[in-house]
Amino acid sequence: MSAAARKLCMLGDFGVGKTSLVSRFVRSTFSEKYLTTVGVKVDSKEIALPGRAPCKLVIWDIAGRSHLDALNMTYLRGASALLLVADGTRERSLHSALNLLMQSRSLLPDAVVVVAVNKIDLVEQWEVAPTALVELRRTLPVFETSARTGEGVEAAFAEIATRLAA
Amino acid sequence: MSMLDFSAIPARVETYLRELFWQRVHPLLLSFDGGWHLRDIHGDAAHYGIDSSNPTQGTQLLRDLFIGLPLDEPQDVPFVELDNGRSAHLHLIPDGDAFHVLLLDAETERDRRRVQQQLGHEEALASQAKTKAIGQLKQIRSELERQHARLEEAHALKNALIATLSHEFRTPLTSIFGYLQLIDRRAKDEPTIREALHAVRRNATYLFTLAENLLEYGRSGSAAPLLNPTPVDLTALARDLEAMFRPLAEEKGLAFQVTLKLDDATEPVFDEVRLRQILLNLLSNAVRYTRHGEVSAELIWRGQTFSADITDTGIGIAAAHRDSVFMAFNRGGHAGSKGAGLGLSIVKRVVEQMRGTLTFDSEIGRGSSFRVAVPLAKERIGTHAAVALAPRFWLQGRNVLVADDDVDIANLLQALLGDLGFRVRVVPDAQSAVLEAMAGRPDVLLIDVELSGLSGNAAVYKLRSRGYKGRIVTLSATATSEAREAALRAGADHYLTKPLNVEQFVHVIQQAASASWDGRSDEPDDA
């Protein structure tokens, strides 16, 4: 049975680890080197869901921005889900992620949204307070992730797949 | 300037333009029917990593790219990174029931943008790192200030040690005075022994005063010294002063007199140690700086005020030194004086602490008269209750979850906590700690920071970010303030370092368990 393909866009400020999360999820690799993304890189991975048909996530890794411009809007069209990515060591990046969500809502009012606060392996340097995530969890599913160690990565994507299948 | 009229372009130029376009843009056109079946392919497929002999596989990406988009409308998706790493602009062009996908090379433009963007982002990240570094420098500065405060605290501790030691002098010296009197009475006919005894008494008195002064000096680090008022037997006090100073005065050929008037029926309540300190210092000075004549102390308890007039016919204090006589380490007060110069400064401070007054009259060559008046202490202060450690029965049946991957440490912690009456459960990693803590809600979570895999701090953060309200104690081998702050910032309530100080450990665990018991109203909010 072929998996239903759904478009997922990675959204977040630059340098938060969107590309690294995709690499970890799709290829189980991680690079310490920061290389900015220009435009978009599309990957896909099939996720098995217990008791359901598998789900194929077509992941659009979009160049990092703190706000959405016309180009980003072009990339977002047709997306069923958004993985908002923030960097725990930069509190501002969490604000950017939420700002991007608000801007994207006009185009994607029904998209499944999950938040990944990345770099949990650097928790000693985190600026994002635990209480901030307590609040955020009241409205959105939040995962602390680490593209470096893989912590929370699979769970975040699986959450999206599960919600898409629901 | 008019638009370029393509029909007017010479054939040679048109050919040139076409070649240029093909070389630079590498157009690839794929034509599909409405069901994504490839009908035709034109152009450099290999340039985009598409195998012309098996193009269906290569075109899967294109299908993925247009998921969710209508195929009967033109689409333009710029800068798409393809499987072979090249960047292309993708255009979907509807054509009746079918459509075409046109790929145009964007590699050069992507590379140029990437360089600019990379520089911009790295600069922005560096700027943020710089801002953070400045913040950290500020933290370091405040840490230095804290260290300064700690040094002051250490200084205070040192003073407290001096105070304690000097306090300890008092008991044996009191005993020495008692036995000196006993021996003195029995050695009346032995002039040599009497002389020796006087020398011992003189020096013991001096040592006693010195010890008392040291005691007070030790207290000087304390911003708000505590008084310990107790009922004072003024008659005994007068008798002690008499016993202590009469022999010294008589040895110098001075008349000596201590009188006491008790005109108030109220029980006198004072900090006796301080009161003795005042009188000892004043009498010690009076005897020391008087060569001829007399020294007297007139003690009065009247109108709920204790007053003492210490008068001598000594060398006196020059008018020029009136202001400096109460300053510490001042020796200019009395002409030709010896000693540490602490006595009068201590007297002044102690009198002020007791909310009393200190005045004096003096004339060079004729003597001095110091007058002290101290009001009744308003309230008795009992012993200062130390913070009592909670009895162990409080802890019976409380739960502690220990997360440590070192079996020896885990066993040690289990044994210690078991002795305290806790029920202990041990898990070997942070992930289990998070799950167990959320499910089991222990009274205290004791977690090692340096766990392999997910760190203890990350586990604490994950718990707190899920609304976990239980008490958390972290244990770390890193004894730096930065590490401590990071742990507390992640959400720990206490930070202990290895090697374990057992007393501190017990104290912290008991504290955490008690707090946990008190603050159970807020249940964790699971995500």
Side-chain angles (χ1 to χ4, degrees), chain B residues 280-339:
Chain B
L280 279 177
N281 273 294
L282 292 175
L283 274 170
S284 178
N285 278 349
V287 172
R288 189 183 303 157
Y289 300 121
T290 303
R291 292 181 196 128
H292 310 287
E294 63 177 317
V295 169
S296 68
E298 188 182 6
L299 314 180
I300 303 169
W301 172 233
R302 182 185 296 151
Q304 299 203 342
T305 299
F306 173 80
S307 63
D309 283 295
I310 313 295
T311 308
D312 66 60
T313 54
I315 56 176
I317 297 164
H321 291 126
R322 279 192 70 92
D323 293 336
S324 60
V325 77
F326 294 117
M327 288 164 70
F329 303 106
N330 163 64
R331 291 186 186 183
H334 290 94
S337 62
K338 292 189 291 183

Side-chain angles (χ1 to χ4, degrees), chain A residues 8-10 21-22 24-25 47 49 57 59 81-86 112-118 137 141-147 150-164, chain B residues 462 466:
Chain A
L8 157 69
C9 287
M10 307 288 290
L21 284 172
V22 176
R24 168 61 64 189
F25 178 59
I47 298 184
L49 295 171
L57 288 179
I59 307 163
L82 297 174
L83 181 56
L84 295 177
V85 185
V112 163
V113 179
V114 166
V115 180
V117 189
N118 198 27
R137 275 182 220 280
V142 180
F143 291 82
E144 292 97 343
T145 59
S146 167
E151 168 67 26
V153 178
E154 199 81 29
F157 283 98
E159 179 70 21
I160 290 172
T162 306
R163 286 178 182 247
L164 283 172
Chain B
K462 288 183 81 166
R466 283 159 178 75

Side-chain angles (χ1 to χ4, degrees), chain B residues 128-192:
Chain B
Q128 286 172 18
K130 187 175 134 192
T131 308
K132 202 180 266 190
I134 289 170
Q136 281 167 344
L137 281 175
K138 282 182 183 165
Q139 269 187 343
I140 288 168
R141 191 174 66 180
S142 65
E143 173 60 22
L144 284 174
E145 284 168 1
R146 273 198 294 277
Q147 280 182 4
H148 179 68
R150 277 200 291 272
L151 280 175
E152 283 185 339
E153 197 183 342
H155 178 65
L157 277 173
K158 180 204 73 184
N159 285 344
L161 179 67
I162 292 173
T164 309
L165 286 176
S166 52
H167 204 93
E168 295 300 316
F169 285 139
R170 192 179 296 126
T171 311
L173 280 168
T174 307
S175 171
I176 288 170
F177 282 123
Y179 282 107
L180 276 173
Q181 263 181 320
L182 188 72
I183 298 167
D184 202 11
R185 274 208 300 275
R186 293 183 182 184
K188 279 183 177 169
D189 302 329
E190 297 286 343
T192 318

